[in-house]
Amino acid sequence: EFFTDNLWGTLPCSWQEALDGLNPPQLATQLLGMPGEGEAVRYRSVWPLTLLALKSTASALAFTRTPGFQTPSEFLENPSQSSRLTAPFRKHVRPKKQHEIRRLGELVKKLSDLTGCTQVVDIGSGQGHLSRFMSLGLGLVVKSIEGDRRLVERARRLDRELLQALDKEEKRNPQVTQASPRRSPHHVVRWVEPTALCPELLLPLETRSGCGARLLLTGLHACGDLSVALLRHFSCPEVAALASVGCCYMKLSEPGGYPLSQWVAGLRGSELPYRLREGACHALEEYTERLRKAGPGLRTHCYRAALETVIRAARPELRRPGVQGIPRVHELKIEEYVQRGLQRAGLDPQLPLDLAALRAQQAQENRVVAFFTLALLLAPLVETLILLDRLLYLQEQDFHAELLPIFSPELSPRNLVLVATKRPLGEAFSLLETEDS
């Protein structure tokens, strides 16, 4: 909506003067406040106090995203292979996911030991990478629940592949023989509804003699309402612990997905429209690096905003249609991008175009990037509000919960894990966040 709603004109004049003309590297250091090594933030002019206050407040009120370990030591030797995972567990797994399954899996193992859980339930397990590492790598009893049958079938194939690879490795190195037999995750095809309890989720695979099941629920980037479903199931007596990493906040249902806590629901103006929730899913650290490099790919923002003006002129009722990624945008003229975008939006690509208007919009490319960066400044703050609401929701029920930055934000932007238990763990929470060697 940059052009259609004249968003630049909504900024105070003093903000426009401070931001106008800043190039991308200057936006990275001055607005997002992330100077490079040895750099200091130097403003080319005196900024208005209101803008400086917004920048400082957004930073001060957001949960820290910096984990307490060196980032990321596991990829120093090879950027595509984690040195902390053996080769069989890296197969078919991208570096980002290697980092995530190792970090979350090890945390779940510690939390399971601390709370005496007998089974881990991985909700929204996808292709089962986390479940495989927890079960075949860490020896946990794991049930994986995924609604997409195709993903479950692939997960089972990958389970078999991994077992074969581990057997071959064991034959080559008999000293690594496991004391107990390996057990693959138990995969279940099932959709988990956020508003209703799922009996399958709470059903134990096995129980210890004389003891009931003690379940630990986890979800790695559980999408939208799925992370809310984990929280609702935590109140069930069978569940003893929770480790949830949320994602896709724009898919939260309204009402129902947010707010959850009575405290946030009672705040005046606590509503979060789609645009804010979608913005909270952006990768702040990755985008800062894009700004620092000032690559031509930043042009996409301006081109997409210009395309929106053409779409609404042709179809006023059609707003923000999904436009699949157009490759090599920086090599296209703006009219070429608009024509391809019209086609992807289901409109006639040969619509007559006002080339003079498009050129004038293209001349504002730096303003578009500046406004987007200003919106991105608020992304960690919006995510903080969503996660704080979940934290308070659990605490209102007298549960014990904390938020920990578990992943390197450069690798995995949604890196805050919500850890909850039904009895106090005291200093044990700090033990869950250990440094990488």
Side-chain angles (χ1 to χ4, degrees):
E1 285 82 18
F2 184 85
F3 296 123
T4 59
D5 294 0
N6 185 27
L7 294 182
W8 185 257
T10 65
L11 298 178
C13 293
S14 58
W15 291 28
Q16 294 180 31
E17 293 173 5
L19 299 175
D20 203 8
L22 292 182
N23 60 37
Q26 290 171 327
L27 288 170
T29 56
Q30 296 182 28
L31 192 55
L32 296 183
M34 296 185 180
E37 186 176 351
E39 294 180 348
V41 177
R42 290 189 174 90
Y43 299 95
R44 65 172 191 172
S45 62
V46 178
W47 275 26
L49 288 178
T50 49
L51 182 54
L52 290 172
L54 175 68
K55 173 183 170 181
S56 297
T57 304
S59 174
L61 293 182
F63 282 124
T64 179
R65 294 163 52 78
T66 305
F69 59 86
Q70 298 299 316
T71 313
S73 60
E74 59 189 313
F75 294 104
L76 291 179
E77 297 177 3
N78 188 327
S80 63
Q81 295 183 359
S82 169
S83 60
R84 305 292 296 277
L85 285 176
T86 58
F89 288 101
R90 296 195 301 256
K91 190 176 182 181
H92 305 297
V93 185
R94 294 180 179 179
K96 172 181 180 290
K97 185 69 76 173
Q98 294 175 28
H99 176 66
E100 291 169 350
I101 65 173
R102 183 185 70 80
R103 291 287 299 168
L104 183 57
E106 291 175 352
L107 182 142
V108 166
K109 178 67 167 69
K110 293 176 185 177
L111 186 60
S112 177
D113 292 342
L114 286 168
T115 56
C117 289
T118 58
Q119 176 181 307
V120 175
V121 184
D122 181 9
I123 302 177
S125 54
Q127 299 180 54
H129 297 308
L130 173 63
S131 294
R132 263 187 302 282
F133 177 64
M134 292 190 298
S135 59
L136 296 173
L138 300 176
L140 295 167
V141 177
V142 180
K143 178 193 288 188
S144 303
I145 297 183
E146 168 59 48
D148 189 331
R149 182 175 296 276
R150 293 171 300 176
L151 293 179
V152 172
E153 290 173 353
R154 176 164 173 76
R156 288 171 176 152
R157 288 199 302 271
L158 295 177
D159 288 352
R160 292 192 292 270
E161 280 187 27
L162 179 57
L163 281 170
Q164 292 172 359
L166 292 174
D167 287 342
K168 290 179 181 178
E169 188 176 89
E170 190 175 291
K171 290 177 181 177
R172 287 195 300 266
N173 303 291
Q175 66 271 20
V176 301
T177 302
Q178 289 199 169
S180 57
R182 295 191 180 95
R183 180 169 181 173
S184 297
H186 177 74
H187 296 283
V188 176
V189 181
R190 178 69 183 262
W191 290 103
V192 178
E193 299 294 336
T195 56
L197 294 182
C198 174
E200 179 60 52
L201 188 154
L202 302 171
L203 188 66
L205 294 174
E206 60 184 33
T207 57
R208 296 174 181 171
S209 58
C211 300
R214 291 180 62 83
L215 308 180
L216 188 155
L217 307 184
T218 191
L220 176 54
H221 294 145
C223 184
D225 286 339
L226 196 55
S227 56
V228 176
L230 267 75
L231 300 179
R232 297 197 188 283
H233 282 80
F234 187 66
S235 60
C236 298
E238 301 92 335
V239 181
L242 169 75
S244 169
V245 183
C247 193
C248 300
Y249 304 126
M250 65 283 197
K251 295 183 180 179
L252 290 171
S253 59
E254 298 179 278
Y258 170 90
L260 295 173
S261 69
Q262 296 177 7
W263 192 85
V264 173
L267 288 176
R268 182 179 178 183
S270 63
E271 300 83 4
L272 288 177
Y274 176 92
R275 187 186 300 175
L276 279 177
R277 288 183 280 118
E278 192 274 335
C281 292
H282 282 282
L284 186 65
E285 290 79 10
E286 185 271 340
Y287 191 73
T288 302
E289 189 61 25
R290 287 179 62 191
L291 290 174
R292 288 175 53 78
K293 293 179 179 178
L298 293 170
R299 187 170 300 156
T300 305
H301 298 309
C302 183
Y303 278 18
R304 179 62 183 88
L307 169 62
E308 189 72 10
T309 65
V310 179
I311 290 173
R312 295 194 187 187
R315 292 269 304 277
E317 75 283 2
L318 185 60
R319 292 170 176 264
R320 294 176 67 94
V323 177
Q324 294 180 349
I326 298 175
R328 308 188 72 83
V329 170
H330 60 281
E331 296 180 358
L332 300 176
K333 296 179 179 179
I334 191 168
E335 60 268 27
E336 294 173 333
Y337 173 89
V338 167
Q339 288 171 341
R340 296 188 187 186
L342 287 171
Q343 187 171 17
R344 279 170 163 73
L347 299 175
D348 181 4
Q350 300 304 318
L351 284 174
L353 302 177
D354 185 342
L355 294 182
L358 291 178
R359 297 279 187 273
Q361 291 169 343
Q362 186 175 4
Q364 298 188 59
E365 179 179 318
N366 275 6
R367 286 184 174 181
V368 179
V369 175
F371 191 91
F372 182 77
T373 305
L374 182 62
L376 205 59
L377 177 67
L378 300 177
L381 193 57
V382 176
E383 182 176 34
T384 292
L385 178 56
I386 294 171
L387 297 180
L388 180 62
D389 171 56
R390 297 176 181 183
L391 193 69
L392 292 170
Y393 169 77
L394 293 171
Q395 291 178 350
E396 286 173 352
Q397 301 176 69
D398 292 327
F399 299 141
H400 305 271
E402 286 195 20
L403 280 160
L404 304 171
I406 184 176
F407 309 134
S408 164
E410 290 80 13
L411 282 172
S412 185
R414 306 280 69 74
N415 74 329
L416 290 163
V417 58
L418 179 59
V419 178
T421 59
K422 290 182 176 176
R423 61 179 179 83
L425 291 182
E427 295 182 358
F429 267 116
S430 62
L431 298 177
L432 296 174
E433 179 64 2
T434 57
E435 293 187 6
D436 279 4
S437 59

